[in-house]
Amino acid sequence: MEDDDENPVAFSKSIVADYFDQADLTFKQMDEYLEKQDLKNISKLGHFLKGSSATLGLTKLKDSCEKLQHYGDRLDEAGHNRVSDSQVSLRNCKKTIEQARREFKEVEDILQPFYQDD
Amino acid sequence: MEANSGGGGATGSSDFVRKLYKMLENPADNTVVRWGLDGESFVVLDTDVFTKQILPKHFKHSNFASFVRQLNKYDFHKVRHNNEDSAHSPYGPRAWEFKHPDFKANNKDALENIRRKAPAPRKAPTTQEDSIPTQQMDMMNTQLVATQQQLVTLQELYNDLRGQNNMLTHEVLGLQKAVINHEHVMENVMAFLNTVDSQRRRDSRLVTPFPANGHDTTTEQQRIAPAEDDAPASPLQHAAKLLSETNADQTFNVRALEHLNEQSIRLNHTLTTPPPDIAARARPSSRQAPNSASSAGSMRMSELDSLVYPVGPNNGIDPMFEAHIHNIPYTVPPTRESENGQIRKKNNFPDPGWVRQPRILLVEDDPTCRRIGSKFLYNFQCHVDCAFDGMEAVTKVQSNSKYDLVLMDIIMPNLDGISACSHIRRIDNTPVIAMTSNIRSDDIAMYFQHGMNDVLPKPFTKDGLHSILVKHLAHLKGDPRGLQAPGAQQAIKDDEPPTKSPVTAANWHSPNQMPGVSPVGAGPQLVEEYHALPTMPGQLMQGPLVSYGGLPAQQGPMPGMQYAPTTGAVPPQMQLQAKSLQPQMQHRRKISELSSAPEDAQGVDAKRPRMLPQVSQPQPVPQPQGVQQVQQQQQAQQVVLQQQHLAQRQQMQPPTPTHPPAGGMGFGQ
């Protein structure tokens, strides 16, 4: 572990790489839950991805995840008011997942040069 | 899918590498992907077609970026063509060529040597800055919001004080006028008495060489034998002397007041007319200083006014108690962070100089946070143990309760951080730090309520984590300066030893301890306001002042304030409500209401937040007269206003758990 100190890049690289894998997986799971109309788990995944996105400083993605978390909790975007129609919540989730995916792709593209070689 | 492809390493070459090789063996795809000219590399000629057609066939996904990442993990490298070469790139400008020393067209055996890289292989340092500044920005933003919140609060307090000061100044000026008038009256009376006195003496001696002259006692004294004159005139002389003395005193006061008044005029832009007498008597010497001082004051004021404070619904920290500034749960690095940050990022922290290696339990379900967190901790020379969720954390603490600190995520699968902390509290008193992005004031109050000792807001920086360590592990440090990082200086500079800080956490309450409001005295009034206040929900929510200490036993006088009203007046209603609840709940409720022992917070656990809110639900006002009285008093006395603030703050606590924070605290799990 101490070796990491001399290799901060390698460390952050591996962290980011793991994050990408994790996010890939999370998006897949989100799709599955969307299919099953499982709002609660979508919210959980939103929270999960929010944490790691925030840790890496990916704020846009973090914000989308937060929204997703609220939508999954059957709340409105800011998490203040309840949304009574679960179909509305599902639609919101779907929309936000797509948005998060786009943002994720953006991040991937930006960080790609950082990854493809040394 | 990547997990699958990476897993085959044990039985020779890994899935991914075999698939890769197999993909290249298919001559049909030659136009898209094929071996390089020398068979030492492979080339993706057309990334679009490759992504859409080849990738799904072999790797069950169509994500080129993911593919490249995977290659990187197996230590493939993109073959670079520098500028002049790229024109001559044998495969075309858009081709991607990848290479691994053991990945060759005719050497299938060597594939076994291609392994997933260790988590952190060494590479030349270049671009760590890419990710960290944003992270720091986030942190800075959080700090900014917290600071702004503090400013808002200070501003409010300032306005209150300004109002009071204004009032006092007015009052004093009025008194001043009265005194001056009295003085004039006295002067007149003296003059008159003098006249009468001299008249009387002249009459008595039948000497009338001069017209009556009240002021000229001295000339009279010269003409008349002193021994005879002194007696009748001495009361008057004495009075005159007294008058002149008080006069001098007043001169002094006037100066100070003048100063004060001028300031208040300038600050408030409200005119308090200075008494004409004062203006007439203006002391030249006192003019200069007040002017300069007050103009400085007005400058400051206008600066303050021109600032805009965005008020967020969260992050409120009560800055009123001075100790808080050094005890902010947002581990706020000082402002110079931006300068120092650049340098420090490169250099590692110096040896922290622990007496022994601290054992930290990091509880976090998110691998990214977990890795970064443990890396920081390793850098601080700590021994790190990780737990995936609250369940594992409790088990680990149970089996090995030798941790010096627990860093606890809040929202986790299986068992959330709050419940986990409650469990841990039954085992021992290891400091538990909530590590979360849910840092709304009500969330934070709840963390403290369940026995947590501090909050480290996510995402956190190295400095942030560091100051938490310094704060809570001070007893493990030989030389406090050893580990001192700019981010931690505040904690150390603070006069009180950082070890105290868990206790000082109780100070989060102290804003309530307004001067002059004794717990006992405030009690009855608070009760009334409990009823009166729910009609002002807007104010409740706005109030950025929140008490943070959730540990009743540590609050000194606070439990009296917090619980006395409830026990004193509310129980009848509470018990009524309790009847509609399950019996065991009722039992617990009583405990939590009637005692303020710290165990309550843990014992009642998750159920407590659901019960307390009822106190604050709008209820029929049982004592309208009392309320009116209070309201009248409030209008009459600004001091009472403070109490109202205070009651609002009290009010903030009970309702908090009614709206579980956005993330849902996971009680239901």
Side-chain angles (χ1 to χ4, degrees):
Chain A
M1 222 37 198
E2 288 145 33
D3 294 332
D4 283 351
D5 293 349
E6 287 123 46
N7 296 284
V9 177
F11 176 77
S12 42
K13 266 194 173 194
S14 73
I15 281 215
V16 175
D18 286 354
Y19 165 79
F20 279 136
D21 288 349
Q22 184 190 310
D24 272 340
L25 191 68
T26 309
F27 278 123
K28 283 208 179 81
Q29 287 172 333
M30 279 181 185
D31 286 344
E32 284 165 26
Y33 286 130
L34 204 57
E35 196 116 321
K36 291 184 203 157
Q37 311 210 341
D38 186 342
L39 284 168
K40 199 172 174 199
N41 273 315
I42 291 178
S43 170
K44 278 186 189 163
L45 289 177
H47 172 80
F48 184 69
L49 195 57
K50 180 180 88 171
S52 33
S53 304
T55 304
L56 295 186
L58 311 174
T59 44
K60 261 201 219 168
L61 204 51
K62 187 206 93 180
D63 292 343
S64 299
C65 289
E66 195 164 304
K67 272 192 225 165
L68 205 53
Q69 203 185 329
H70 294 320
Y71 287 146
D73 284 339
R74 302 190 57 179
L75 298 170
D76 62 3
E77 177 175 326
H80 294 319
N81 302 308
R82 285 208 78 74
V83 175
S84 50
D85 187 349
S86 66
Q87 288 308 313
V88 172
S89 292
L90 272 174
R91 270 201 300 280
N92 284 336
C93 283
K94 194 165 190 296
K95 196 181 67 194
T96 314
I97 291 175
E98 279 161 16
Q99 187 191 338
R101 263 219 167 83
R102 277 197 301 276
E103 285 158 358
F104 179 65
K105 187 87 187 81
E106 232 172 82
V107 170
E108 228 180 3
D109 289 345
I110 291 169
L111 291 180
Q112 195 67 52
F114 176 55
Y115 278 93
Q116 57 198 23
D117 43 31
D118 302 297
Chain B
M1 39 73 212
E2 276 155 336
N4 295 340
S5 56
T11 59
S13 58
S14 77
D15 276 353
F16 175 75
V17 179
R18 267 184 282 128
K19 282 183 194 166
L20 197 63
Y21 198 86
K22 200 175 147 213
M23 174 182 82
L24 293 166
E25 282 177 323
N26 186 353
D29 297 332
N30 241 345
T31 51
V32 181
V33 58
R34 61 179 164 90
W35 286 102
L37 294 178
D38 49 7
E40 308 248 309
S41 63
F42 76 94
V43 189
V44 179
L45 294 165
D46 186 331
T47 50
D48 286 345
V49 181
F50 178 76
T51 307
K52 283 187 193 123
Q53 293 176 11
I54 316 274
L55 273 185
K57 232 190 309 183
H58 296 275
F59 298 99
K60 297 190 193 96
H61 68 79
S62 56
N63 184 338
F64 190 64
S66 174
F67 175 70
V68 173
R69 272 204 315 278
Q70 197 75 347
L71 283 173
N72 273 300
K73 263 186 213 152
Y74 285 90
D75 221 13
F76 279 80
H77 293 260
K78 191 188 178 196
V79 179
R80 237 188 236 280
H81 299 281
N82 43 26
N83 283 340
E84 51 284 21
D85 280 355
S86 67
H88 312 290
S89 171
Y91 314 110
R94 294 183 58 226
W96 291 52
E97 185 181 4
F98 295 96
K99 196 171 179 166
H100 188 286
D102 288 316
F103 192 73
K104 292 176 185 163
N106 298 313
N107 194 353
K108 219 171 172 175
D109 295 338
L111 294 186
E112 282 183 38
N113 300 329
I114 306 178
R115 292 289 163 86
R116 229 178 132 99
K117 285 191 288 188
R122 36 236 61 168
K123 295 280 140 61
T126 37
T127 46
Q128 195 191 12
E129 296 83 21
D130 276 358
S131 59
I132 291 191
T134 6
Q135 194 184 333
Q136 274 183 340
M137 282 300 288
D138 259 13
M139 186 64 192
M140 295 284 280
N141 277 342
T142 319
Q143 292 161 12
L144 193 66
V145 176
T147 315
Q148 282 163 348
Q149 204 72 44
Q150 292 178 332
L151 277 174
V152 175
T153 320
L154 282 176
Q155 179 77 34
E156 266 174 29
L157 181 68
Y158 169 79
N159 285 338
D160 276 5
L161 287 175
R162 198 176 65 173
Q164 288 171 21
N165 187 48
N166 226 358
M167 204 178 63
L168 284 174
T169 315
H170 273 283
E171 199 81 357
V172 171
L173 281 176
L175 281 173
Q176 218 171 53
K177 267 192 210 172
V179 168
I180 287 165
N181 285 340
H182 279 196
E183 202 187 329
H184 282 254
V185 170
M186 285 304 282
E187 272 172 20
N188 290 337
V189 170
M190 283 297 286
F192 176 72
L193 283 179
N194 269 331
T195 327
V196 173
D197 182 57
S198 50
Q199 188 72 46
R200 187 177 52 100
R201 268 176 286 148
R202 258 176 272 133
D203 289 349
S204 68
R205 277 153 209 261
L206 301 169
V207 182
T208 54
F210 304 104
N213 185 342
H215 292 286
D216 243 346
T217 26
T218 40
T219 29
E220 279 176 12
Q221 279 166 8
Q222 281 170 352
R223 311 190 122 263
I224 303 161
E228 290 169 282
D229 280 2
D230 268 353
S234 71
L236 275 179
Q237 275 176 341
H238 188 62
K241 199 177 153 218
L242 273 180
L243 259 184
S244 74
E245 268 171 16
T246 51
N247 206 7
D249 271 349
Q250 208 195 340
T251 312
F252 184 73
N253 285 341
V254 164
R255 229 180 265 170
L257 273 175
E258 218 181 329
H259 176 113
L260 202 75
N261 192 37
E262 254 179 74
Q263 250 184 342
S264 80
I265 291 169
R266 279 161 186 275
L267 289 182
N268 304 334
H269 313 289
T270 49
L271 276 180
T272 40
T273 31
D277 305 72
I278 293 181
R281 292 164 182 230
R283 309 301 187 276
S285 61
S286 70
R287 273 291 178 198
Q288 272 325 92
N291 269 344
S292 56
S294 55
S295 64
S298 68
M299 272 258 289
R300 256 179 279 126
M301 182 54 198
S302 57
E303 275 167 27
L304 274 179
D305 275 344
S306 65
L307 285 175
V308 180
Y309 306 113
V311 182
N314 49 3
N315 298 347
I317 286 194
D318 196 317
M320 295 214 302
F321 200 72
E322 217 174 311
H324 293 180
I325 293 168
H326 303 293
N327 232 333
I328 299 173
Y330 302 96
T331 48
V332 179
T335 39
R336 48 213 144 89
E337 196 224 36
S338 45
E339 314 156 19
N340 294 353
Q342 299 298 329
I343 309 155
R344 231 184 19 259
K345 222 185 301 159
K346 295 277 176 193
N347 306 337
N348 291 312
F349 281 79
D351 191 307
W354 302 114
V355 175
R356 68 172 167 80
Q357 201 182 31
R359 293 175 58 89
I360 315 280
L361 179 61
L362 179 65
V363 192
E364 169 67 80
D365 61 325
D366 173 25
T368 308
C369 301
R370 198 166 53 226
R371 286 191 61 192
I372 289 190
S374 24
K375 165 146 176 85
F376 287 165
L377 289 170
Y378 273 115
N379 278 349
F380 298 140
Q381 314 283 323
C382 297
H383 179 277
V384 188
D385 227 347
C386 289
F388 172 78
D389 59 22
M391 206 76 94
E392 197 183 338
V394 174
T395 316
K396 286 204 167 181
V397 171
Q398 253 164 354
S399 60
N400 168 19
S401 52
K402 272 182 275 170
Y403 293 111
D404 298 302
L405 190 73
V406 180
L407 292 167
M408 181 85 79
D409 189 15
I410 295 299
I411 300 178
M412 291 179 292
N414 304 325
L415 188 67
D416 66 278
I418 296 183
S419 313
C421 180
S422 298
H423 282 292
I424 290 175
R425 278 288 161 268
R426 283 179 209 146
I427 303 167
D428 63 21
N429 281 324
T430 314
V432 178
I433 314 294
M435 197 174 48
T436 175
S437 54
N438 292 337
I439 47 173
R440 289 191 337 199
S441 44
D442 45 354
D443 296 337
I444 291 178
M446 178 149 60
Y447 305 152
F448 281 118
Q449 224 165 32
H450 286 81
M452 294 192 149
N453 300 67
D454 213 333
V455 177
L456 176 61
K458 280 207 286 196
F460 55 83
T461 60
K462 209 171 180 177
D463 286 342
L465 180 61
H466 183 264
S467 21
I468 285 282
L469 290 186
V470 171
K471 195 168 158 191
H472 293 277
L473 297 177
H475 55 289
L476 294 181
K477 288 185 65 62
D479 173 17
R481 269 158 298 186
L483 189 63
Q484 194 163 16
Q489 271 168 359
Q490 282 194 335
I492 291 175
K493 253 192 294 177
D494 206 343
D495 279 343
E496 42 196 316
T499 8
K500 271 192 192 167
S501 31
V503 183
T504 10
N507 279 338
W508 296 110
H509 258 301
S510 50
N512 293 335
Q513 291 167 319
M514 300 295 290
V517 184
S518 80
V520 180
Q525 235 163 2
L526 284 178
V527 173
E528 284 164 357
E529 279 158 8
Y530 262 93
H531 300 304
L533 279 168
T535 54
M536 307 180 265
Q539 271 180 319
L540 284 184
M541 295 320 288
Q542 281 167 8
L545 304 182
V546 186
S547 17
Y548 281 87
L551 308 174
Q554 297 178 347
Q555 289 162 9
M558 291 317 299
M561 299 189 63
Q562 205 176 356
Y563 292 100
T566 336
T567 35
V570 187
Q573 287 153 340
M574 296 296 294
Q575 270 158 8
L576 271 179
Q577 288 162 352
K579 280 178 190 164
S580 61
L581 296 164
Q582 296 99 326
Q584 73 267 32
M585 290 268 293
Q586 190 179 5
H587 172 64
R588 283 185 164 175
R589 154 193 300 266
K590 269 184 180 165
I591 294 173
S592 74
E593 292 302 328
L594 297 179
S595 80
S596 51
E599 290 81 30
D600 289 353
Q602 303 146 24
V604 176
D605 219 343
K607 278 159 189 154
R608 181 193 181 110
R610 296 203 184 123
M611 306 181 308
L612 276 178
Q614 310 207 17
V615 181
S616 66
Q617 277 167 10
Q619 291 160 352
V621 181
Q623 297 160 301
Q625 289 169 343
V627 174
Q628 267 182 356
Q629 265 178 3
V630 171
Q631 282 167 348
Q632 282 164 3
Q633 280 170 13
Q634 282 168 353
Q635 283 163 1
Q637 293 179 331
Q638 299 237 355
V639 186
V640 182
L641 270 180
Q642 291 179 338
Q643 290 173 351
Q644 191 190 8
H645 273 298
L646 192 140
Q648 285 177 13
R649 268 169 246 141
Q650 296 286 351
Q651 197 69 15
M652 288 294 289
Q653 271 206 328
T656 45
T658 357
H659 322 289
M665 297 318 297
F667 284 133
Q669 293 177 1

